[in-house]
Amino acid sequence: MQLKRKSTTTIFGCVFALFIPKICFADKICTAPSEPVTIKENNTDDTLVVHINVTTKDVTLNLTENPGNAFYLRGSELIAKKGLDFETLSGPEELTVQVRCNKTGYRSITLIVIVRVENINDNYPSFGQSEYTLNVNELTPVNTSIGLIEAVDDDSEVLYYSIEPTLNRYFRLENMYTPKILVNKVLDYDVIQQVKLLLYAQDTPLPLQHTPLPSQPSERSFTATATITVNIKDIDNRPPWFQPCTRVTSGNAKICLSLGYRGRVNLTEKQDGALQLQPGPVYARDGDKSRNEEISYKIVRGNEDNIFQIDENSGNISMLKPADIAGPISLLVLASQVLNRDQFATTSVTIDVMKKSRNPPRFEKERYEGYVYISSGPENMVLRDRTTNRPFRVRARDEDFASGINPDIRYEVQYSSYVNITTDGFILLKKAVRTDSFALQLRAVDVSTGESGTAALAVLVIPSAGVQSPDESFRAGDMALLGFVMAALLVLCLIVIGYLISRVKKGNPDAFKSEVSIFSSKLRDTGRSRARRAELREGRLDAVQAARVRVIPRERLRHCRSCGLQTSFNHSHHSPVVQTKGKANKQRVKSILAKERRKDDGHKSVWFKESEDSSDIEVEIIPDTIGIKPEDEVEKGEGDFASHPLEDSQMELGDLIMSNIQDLSSREISDGRDGLNTDRKDP
């Protein structure tokens, strides 16, 4: 249209120029661009829009059309007086400005300037409100739309939406251009009751996952945010659940299984009030926890004799009359919603009719005391006393049984987390004890009747074995007694040592050796008679004194007739007999052995003959067979020997004396050899 207008002006100008050349020339006094002039919105004041070309002098320019009074002329320049806003333009996006050119003697012309305002991204998108609330029922099918929430932007016709969290498992957006919220997963009120979402609207394209979109570095982006709260509503989709129960999941369905109830009544007795059941009274609640529908109860089977009744509202079972037959009675109980009878559940109630028990279980004591070591750990037993490692054990008796032992008794521990109790009544630690003591209650339950008895147990923590407790230190009396005993032993040792030293000083070493042997024998035979030991000691000393004789070997006797020794042999027994003649007429023989030994001992009996002159002593070595009694007498003698420990001591002393005599004999023989050598030199 502008081109058409320009062409028309040119044609008319040329026509006039043929006849009036001066007027045709006036048509060119000013010109302006025929194409629209573009200016960005939000421009600054006094922005140059376009330059008017004036071809001659003295041409005046005037604005004949100025939309919104937004422009003015500065000489031959069209200037924007203020910033232009694309969104506030009342009309089209193009503004038409007319400029009139005047000069004296020339015809006035009007120039039309088209100013196009360019829209830029300078506004934020916006939602109708900052927060939204949506409600959705549980079990709503997947991909169901729960709402559409859109934003607006004055700068753009297209917005891009996203939801946070982007990996929300319950809800999603239909696509990035349409903010329709869809169910992404089956909702369960028991699992989740509310979900909060953040919905974003952006006026620039959003990068797709794993595919970022290129964007201009200078391109501005604006985003709007809205908070969406989605409330999940609980619907009536589950029947009543008897309590307690075990939950089982099958796909999206949840079931709560009850194992039923059990109680006891006595035969031919009517119990008043509600029956005590295990694990508790009959009770059911709505499977939809937030709805809590009212429940009613009814016995539907097993009560043909009308022995029991159930309260419709509470579920308590009571007796109408006593049961006359022992054994279990099984009842089937129905629980249903009052407003929706299609929602119901059933359970079993077993009543055991039993003969009455006359005596409950009872512990042997009302209070017990046990002990544990401070180092004891799990599985260690509680001990019954401090001094032994015998385990602690409790027993409960039932007088309804002749033996007092009820096989249906079970033990329990109450009010303590430190120990367990076995079926046999032994107490075991569950963990290390960190206190000085702890108390608990033991309970014995007759599982057949439900009767029980209790007892208290106090457990003390004691030091480990081998570690002395501060409470077990020695008392003053114990220490005084120990000092007295040690002093007595010290005095006794000093007396013995002084006695031995006095004997050594007398110059009789043989007697000293004998005394040492006697002292050893005294220590072994402290219970024997003192008088008898003194008599034996005197006899042994005399024997040792008498044994100090000079013995000459057999092969040298023929050369020493003056010694007064004769040697004879008993050929029948091959036992030599040595005789020593003395000058005295009176001789006495004293035996130091009261009993002969057995012939298989290999010992010989020795007899001493002592004269008044101690220098002349006759020594006889008696054969083994002489004086041996028959076997029956020997057996009798052995019995006597076994019953007389004093005679046993005498034989041991005899052996000691024999060994001393042999030592003395060997010395005398050696002296005799030296004497013979001297005789040879000096006959």
Side-chain angles (χ1 to χ4, degrees):
M1 184 175 183
Q2 294 174 356
L3 296 176
K4 183 177 180 181
R5 184 164 50 246
K6 182 179 180 180
S7 301
T8 304
T9 303
T10 305
I11 292 173
F12 278 103
C14 292
V15 171
F16 283 110
L18 292 175
F19 302 97
I20 310 173
K22 196 171 184 178
I23 296 175
C24 184
F25 179 78
D27 189 44
K28 297 181 180 180
I29 60 177
C30 63
T31 59
S34 60
E35 298 295 332
V37 178
T38 302
I39 183 173
K40 292 183 178 181
E41 66 171 333
N42 300 330
N43 58 284
T44 60
D45 296 343
D46 301 327
T47 301
L48 175 65
V49 177
V50 68
H51 180 76
I52 305 299
N53 185 20
V54 178
T55 59
T56 183
K57 297 180 180 180
D58 301 330
V59 176
T60 60
L61 302 177
N62 297 314
L63 290 175
T64 58
E65 185 176 350
N66 186 9
N69 196 26
F71 304 95
Y72 72 94
L73 291 172
R74 186 175 60 192
S76 60
E77 295 178 342
L78 180 63
I79 305 299
K81 185 186 297 185
K82 60 183 180 180
L84 302 177
D85 187 3
F86 178 84
E87 290 76 22
T88 60
L89 296 178
S90 57
E93 61 182 9
E94 295 180 350
L95 299 178
T96 302
V97 180
Q98 294 183 2
V99 179
R100 186 176 185 81
C101 301
N102 297 314
K103 185 176 180 180
T104 304
Y106 289 83
R107 186 175 179 174
S108 299
I109 61 174
T110 301
L111 301 178
I112 299 175
V113 178
I114 305 300
V115 179
R116 179 177 295 171
V117 180
E118 182 180 353
N119 186 23
I120 63 175
N121 187 17
D122 61 342
N123 292 290
Y124 284 84
S126 62
F127 289 97
Q129 56 194 60
S130 60
E131 295 184 358
Y132 294 86
T133 300
L134 302 177
N135 296 320
V136 57
N137 292 332
E138 65 172 339
L139 303 181
T140 299
V142 177
N143 293 328
T144 299
S145 174
I146 64 172
L148 175 65
I149 300 175
E150 293 182 304
V152 295
D153 188 356
D154 295 334
D155 295 328
S156 174
E157 296 181 357
V158 179
L159 292 176
Y160 305 90
Y161 297 91
S162 64
I163 194 172
E164 188 180 284
T166 56
L167 299 179
N168 188 280
R169 55 179 179 171
Y170 294 107
F171 302 99
R172 64 180 179 86
L173 292 177
E174 184 176 20
N175 53 58
M176 64 186 304
Y177 306 105
T178 306
K180 185 182 291 185
I181 301 175
L182 306 179
V183 176
N184 191 45
K185 183 181 178 181
V186 175
L187 304 172
D188 185 356
Y189 181 83
D190 293 338
V191 177
I192 187 168
Q193 295 81 39
Q194 189 180 82
V195 178
K196 285 188 176 294
L197 304 173
L198 290 178
L199 180 63
Y200 295 98
Q202 186 172 319
D203 54 11
T204 56
L206 296 172
L208 299 177
Q209 187 176 7
H210 307 301
T211 310
L213 295 176
S215 60
Q216 297 296 330
S218 60
E219 186 177 8
R220 300 180 64 186
S221 178
F222 298 96
T223 304
T225 305
T227 301
I228 304 173
T229 301
V230 182
N231 296 320
I232 291 88
K233 297 296 183 180
D234 192 10
I235 63 174
D236 188 11
N237 64 309
R238 293 193 179 99
W241 287 350
F242 284 98
Q243 304 298 311
C245 61
T246 303
R247 294 193 179 189
V248 179
T249 302
S250 177
N252 293 328
K254 289 186 177 180
I255 305 171
C256 205
L257 301 178
S258 173
L259 299 180
Y261 303 86
R262 200 172 192 93
R264 298 181 181 87
V265 296
N266 293 327
L267 183 65
T268 67
E269 286 188 5
K270 178 180 176 294
Q271 182 174 329
D272 296 332
L275 299 181
Q276 299 295 321
L277 303 178
Q278 295 294 333
V282 176
Y283 171 70
R285 67 172 181 83
D286 192 352
D288 303 307
K289 68 169 70 174
S290 69
R291 300 183 66 87
N292 196 23
E293 297 287 346
E294 185 179 357
I295 307 296
S296 64
Y297 304 90
K298 182 180 180 181
I299 298 177
V300 295
R301 191 178 64 191
N303 195 29
E304 288 77 11
D305 296 334
N306 292 324
I307 299 175
F308 305 98
Q309 67 177 358
I310 189 169
D311 187 280
E312 183 178 356
N313 298 320
S314 65
N316 290 330
I317 297 177
S318 58
M319 297 185 71
L320 295 174
K321 61 182 180 179
D324 55 0
I325 299 177
I329 299 177
S330 296
L331 306 176
L332 183 65
V333 176
L334 172 72
S336 61
Q337 293 182 9
V338 174
L339 300 179
N340 184 6
R341 296 293 179 180
D342 292 334
Q343 298 288 9
F344 67 89
T346 60
T347 189
S348 63
V349 179
T350 303
I351 308 296
D352 295 320
V353 181
M354 307 181 65
K355 294 181 180 180
K356 185 177 181 180
S357 174
R358 295 181 177 84
N359 299 285
R362 290 187 178 180
F363 285 96
E364 297 173 348
K365 298 180 182 179
E366 293 184 357
R367 295 181 178 275
Y368 292 92
E369 190 173 80
Y371 302 89
V372 294
Y373 290 120
I374 194 172
S375 59
S376 298
E379 303 301 328
N380 284 28
M381 285 187 172
V382 175
L383 306 179
R384 61 182 298 180
D385 51 50
R386 294 174 178 265
T387 57
T388 65
N389 287 330
R390 290 182 296 177
F392 175 82
R393 185 181 184 183
V394 294
R395 293 184 180 90
R397 296 179 58 83
D398 192 339
E399 298 302 331
D400 292 336
F401 294 80
S403 62
I405 300 175
N406 185 351
D408 294 327
I409 288 181
R410 300 293 182 268
Y411 297 102
E412 299 175 355
V413 173
Q414 296 178 325
Y415 316 127
S416 178
S417 61
Y418 281 118
V419 297
N420 280 328
I421 187 168
T422 67
T423 55
D424 297 325
F426 293 102
I427 310 295
L428 301 178
L429 289 177
K430 292 195 298 185
K431 58 183 179 179
V433 181
R434 303 301 182 189
T435 61
D436 295 334
S437 64
F438 62 93
L440 54 96
Q441 181 171 282
L442 301 174
R443 183 169 180 259
V445 183
D446 186 348
V447 295
S448 63
T449 64
E451 297 177 320
S452 63
T454 59
L457 171 62
V459 181
L460 302 179
V461 180
I462 60 177
S464 302
V467 179
Q468 183 178 351
S469 172
D471 297 336
E472 297 178 355
S473 58
F474 292 107
R475 296 173 296 178
D478 298 335
M479 299 302 295
L481 179 60
L482 178 62
F484 176 77
V485 172
M486 296 298 294
L489 292 176
L490 179 59
V491 171
L492 180 60
C493 291
L494 292 177
I495 293 172
V496 173
I497 293 172
Y499 175 73
L500 295 177
I501 292 174
S502 64
R503 296 301 300 269
V504 170
K505 287 183 177 180
K506 291 181 179 180
N508 194 349
D510 294 333
F512 175 72
K513 294 180 180 179
S514 177
E515 290 299 331
V516 172
S517 300
I518 293 170
F519 179 71
S520 300
S521 177
K522 284 174 63 179
L523 293 178
R524 293 192 300 268
D525 305 325
T526 56
R528 299 173 183 175
S529 173
R530 293 183 180 179
R532 184 60 179 167
R533 287 200 302 270
E535 181 181 353
L536 291 175
R537 185 167 62 252
E538 291 176 359
R540 286 195 297 274
L541 291 174
D542 294 340
V544 173
Q545 293 290 342
R548 297 180 64 186
V549 298
R550 188 173 182 179
V551 181
I552 301 175
R554 252 183 335 190
E555 62 272 12
R556 298 297 182 183
L557 287 179
R558 62 179 178 269
H559 299 290
C560 189
R561 294 295 181 179
S562 62
C563 296
L565 289 174
Q566 292 183 354
T567 304
S568 62
F569 296 90
N570 189 337
H571 297 282
S572 62
H573 299 290
H574 303 285
S575 298
V577 178
V578 180
Q579 296 181 352
T580 304
K581 294 182 180 181
K583 296 180 182 180
N585 294 327
K586 294 182 180 181
Q587 296 178 347
R588 57 188 181 91
V589 178
K590 184 177 181 181
S591 174
I592 65 171
L593 296 179
K595 290 289 183 177
E596 292 84 350
R597 296 189 181 267
R598 287 194 238 174
K599 59 185 178 180
D600 56 353
D601 286 342
H603 296 281
K604 299 182 184 296
S605 299
V606 181
W607 294 80
F608 294 90
K609 292 181 180 180
E610 183 178 1
S611 64
E612 294 178 357
D613 188 0
S614 61
S615 62
D616 296 330
I617 300 174
E618 182 178 353
V619 180
E620 294 183 3
I621 301 176
I622 304 172
D624 296 338
T625 57
I626 295 178
I628 296 179
K629 298 180 181 181
E631 293 183 357
D632 55 348
E633 296 180 4
V634 171
E635 293 176 358
K636 182 178 180 181
E638 288 177 353
D640 296 338
F641 178 76
S643 61
H644 294 81
L646 185 57
E647 296 176 357
D648 184 17
S649 176
Q650 290 176 349
M651 291 193 300
E652 292 178 358
L653 292 173
D655 294 339
L656 180 60
I657 293 171
M658 281 296 298
S659 62
N660 291 334
I661 292 173
Q662 291 175 1
D663 292 339
L664 293 173
S665 300
S666 61
R667 293 177 184 175
E668 294 297 336
I669 291 171
S670 177
D671 294 341
R673 289 179 180 176
D674 295 339
L676 290 176
N677 293 333
T678 304
D679 293 340
R680 286 182 180 179
K681 293 180 181 180
D682 188 7

